[in-house]
Amino acid sequence: MSEGSSPRPTGPQSSSKDTTGAKGRSLPGRLFNMPYLLLLTAVLCWSGNVVIGRAVYEDVPPIALGFLRWSLALLIILPFTWRRTLQDWPVIRRSLPVVLLISATGIAAFNTLVYFALNHTLALHGALLQSTIPVLIVVFSFVFFRETMTPKQLLGVGLSIVGASIIVGQGNPLALLSIQFNPGDMILMIAFCCYGIYAVFLRKRPQVHPLSFITVTFTIGVAMLFPVFLLELTYGRQPSANLPTIGAVLYVACFASVLAYFCFNRGVELIGANRGGQFIHLIPVFGSLMAVLFLGERLHWYHGVGVVFTGFGVYLAAIQKAAKAR
């Protein structure tokens, strides 16, 4: 994670110019300008986060998991980023209100609320509701920035929702119709709304190096979670110290935090929130495959059908010519 290996970002509107000189760049430089690979990496890491968050919810309280996650992630990146962050601080300070909003919604609130909800709701509900995030991104893009979608993008959103529903409903539409939502599901919806706001306001982020940006947002997120973490401890909810929980914290800090947020922020910067957000439909797909590989669950026909619908929907919603996207 070398700071000097990546060019300085220039924002969504000018990133097409940024990519034209990719020929002859180093491999890290080329990867830095491949939005679809970056977004796929992010959702793959977040899919693992869902599996791990569910697996350890009885051993690690939700606020503790969120606080330890971001604290460790911050400690990992800080030796590489503190100098550049200090250099970029004057620019960041001018955009402090939007940085605070992004940190509160995307760092402090979103994942902590998801971890909390997993104590009160089924994994099936969480997977189904997670497919609403791209729709919420579209809604908030219109509410805050009057950004609309093309008919092809709308069709892609619809197909992606169908694909995710096939997977989480195990191929039975009646299973989806019979779902009764509980308070945990409402907490999930609040969490996903927070993430939708986070994603659409990334376009307003200060134009600084991505490592400076995630350093500041991680720091603010940790500061926001710290008093709530202390409150959780006073009520006797303490994390268990064993190898599985330590491994879980390491995963969510290194992969679901540092790598995933770096990749997603850069991907959205390159192609925009509406198209980038459609990749979140792939989380139920990857999550199902990880459940098969790591939790011993069986692979069924509806997984394959769901993958086809979701993958094609993401393609329609996200893969467009740069000229149309801008």
Side-chain angles (χ1 to χ4, degrees), residues 134-151:
V135 179
L136 291 171
I137 291 175
V138 172
V139 171
F140 288 132
S141 293
F142 176 77
V143 170
F144 292 111
F145 300 106
R146 292 296 184 267
E147 180 179 335
T148 59
M149 297 190 74
T150 65

Side-chain angles (χ1 to χ4, degrees), residues 2 29 43 45 47 77 92 95 113 116-117 141 143 145 174-175 178 196 225 227 235 244 304 306 312 320:
S2 171
V43 298
C45 292
S47 299
I77 65 173
I92 296 171
S95 301
L113 287 171
F116 186 74
S141 293
V143 170
F145 300 106
L174 295 180
S178 63
L225 286 172
Y235 281 90
F312 188 59
Q320 296 190 26

